[in-house]
Amino acid sequence: MNMKIFVRTFGCQMNVRDSELVIAQFLNNGYKLTDTIQDADVILFNTCSVRQHAEDKVWSELGRMRQLKKNKSDLIVGVIGCMAKNLENKIIERMPHVDLAVSSNDLANTYDYVEDILNKRQHIVAVDSKQRDKSFYKNLYHWDKKHCYVNISEGCSNFCSYCIVPYVRGMHRSRLADDILKEVKQLIKDKVNSITLLGQNVNDYYSKFKVEGLKVKKINFVDLLELISGIKGIKELSFVTSHPKDIDSRLFDLMVQKKNIKKYLHLPVQSGSNRILKLMNRGYTRKRYFEIIEQYRKKVPNGILATDIIVGFPTETEKDFNETLGLLKEIEFNFSYIFKYSPRPHTKAKDLVDDVSKEEKKRRHGILLSLQKDISRRKRKT
Ligand code: 5AD
Ligand code: SF4
């Protein structure tokens, strides 16, 4: 009888791709993918730790697995991704019916860990690798027939003061350009024609590329994008996420030059207040952010613009908040993803007093959400 795997993914696009790459390991070993949790022999939760709320959702799902496991003693339940790294052994201590915890950098061996558990019936916590084994990217599986995400880098070394990512995914590493191009070409052979390049900060990309017949060339993100956009068969190419501090205006020139590059820029601003931006360790000012937007709009007519904002960062006053509100009104993003600050382990900001009350965060969140709703509605009509 065929074994079945069920994977539930929480969080960002990065996790969507990681889930696909983990599923591929199981499909290659004879498993079938199921979307009915009750039918599964292996259940994996690919998790997010960016906000406390994201982890709380996983805890409640994991709690529900207790009964399922009672009815099916061979069932394997695993937590993979950010939460595994953040909490390590604590996951199994709190929920002993969980068999497995695998961090983002240890995912290449997920199938082997499950096999080990099936043979030896013992818990496995694999959370120590500093980087991913390259073999992780070799398998082919994507949910969408025509579209696929491709990682260009892993981790992040920016250390925004509120962000747990550098701790749970490790320091920034750019993947080799040759490996990325190989993966893209393999996907095109598999009938994919739309690619989204993924990195916590794509603009931080830096690698070497072997030009045929020439010496090795050093390339940055704009060069990589140009190389990929030139690959035959790519109808649409996009990328997330960009960081204002590393934006190179050549990027906008390339976006206009190349028809197949999507005119979409996700550029998280996080706050409109210089004081808060500094406390967040973002590396740019409000003025610089406006300059980048001006350049983008000038060079990329009809470009779509999206951002992320955090409300209620420690010490955020009404004046700081109004600066964010003003920035949102002035720029009129097509989309804004607005979050209430939550202190995260390991981060610098967790040592600051989380002094904006829950109610006040909710109020500020509501004001920005309804403003953005109006802007998005208006923009859709034009
Ligand atoms: N609290 C609230 N939002 C956060 N983000 C990252 N860390 C936190 C936190 N501690 C948001 C940022 C980031 C997005 C992915 O999540 O806006 O851009
Ligand atoms: Fe987190 Fe900042 Fe890195 Fe984004 S750029 S993942 S917010 S540390």
Side-chain angles (χ1 to χ4, degrees), residues 168-341:
V168 289
R169 286 191 174 259
M171 295 300 92
H172 169 93
R173 287 144 281 147
S174 293
R175 285 183 67 204
L176 280 178
D178 296 275
D179 292 345
I180 297 169
L181 291 171
K182 223 184 272 167
E183 190 174 324
V184 170
K185 285 176 187 162
Q186 191 190 11
L187 287 166
I188 289 171
K189 264 195 202 149
D190 202 44
K191 307 224 167 17
V192 166
N193 62 20
S194 170
I195 299 271
T196 303
L197 305 178
L198 292 180
Q200 299 292 346
N201 168 6
V202 289
N203 315 92
D204 222 0
Y205 183 83
Y206 196 68
S207 169
K208 289 178 186 146
F209 173 60
K210 281 189 222 118
V211 188
E212 267 172 65
L214 295 169
K215 276 193 294 188
V216 168
K217 194 180 153 195
K218 287 182 181 158
I219 63 168
N220 67 12
F221 175 60
V222 181
D223 303 321
L224 178 76
L225 197 64
E226 186 165 12
L227 279 170
I228 298 177
S229 96
I231 295 176
K232 210 171 152 233
I234 298 206
K235 273 202 180 145
E236 190 176 75
L237 179 61
S238 51
F239 52 90
V240 279
T241 299
S242 292
H243 194 305
K245 82 176 171 55
D246 295 316
I247 280 275
D248 165 354
S249 69
R250 280 204 307 133
L251 172 65
F252 305 150
D253 296 322
L254 187 73
M255 286 172 85
V256 209
Q257 266 168 34
K258 302 288 176 187
K259 270 215 178 94
N260 60 0
I261 301 182
K262 202 168 163 187
K263 313 308 171 225
Y264 173 82
L265 186 69
H266 185 173
L267 195 68
V269 63
Q270 311 296 2
S271 170
S273 149
N274 279 333
R275 194 181 68 82
I276 297 292
L277 285 173
K278 197 150 194 217
L279 282 176
M280 287 178 162
N281 190 31
R282 288 292 288 174
Y284 55 86
T285 59
R286 175 189 173 94
K287 181 162 169 272
R288 173 71 190 133
Y289 191 84
F290 272 99
E291 277 166 15
I292 300 170
I293 299 300
E294 201 185 316
Q295 274 180 354
Y296 177 67
R297 291 214 155 126
K298 225 186 242 166
K299 291 194 173 179
V300 189
N302 305 320
I304 305 287
L305 199 54
T307 201
D308 292 355
I309 287 167
I310 298 177
V311 294
F313 186 82
T315 78
E316 187 188 69
T317 60
E318 190 65 16
K319 180 170 171 281
D320 296 315
F321 171 68
N322 281 331
E323 282 174 358
T324 304
L325 183 68
L327 181 141
L328 223 73
K329 280 185 183 158
E330 207 168 319
I331 294 184
E332 299 199 321
F333 295 95
N334 299 80
F335 307 99
S336 300
Y337 302 95
I338 302 154
F339 306 104
K340 288 175 256 178
Y341 171 75

Side-chain angles (χ1 to χ4, degrees), residues 5-6 17-18 20 106 115 130-132 143-144 151 195 221 223 253 291 310 327 340 348-349 359:
I5 177 160
F6 173 96
R17 182 60 181 149
D18 288 350
E20 290 179 341
D106 290 273
E115 278 291 287
K130 294 263 181 294
Q131 54 187 35
R132 288 180 164 180
W143 318 96
D144 191 311
N151 299 65
I195 299 271
F221 175 60
D223 303 321
D253 296 322
E291 277 166 15
I310 298 177
L327 181 141
K340 288 175 256 178
K348 228 173 165 184
E359 295 68 39

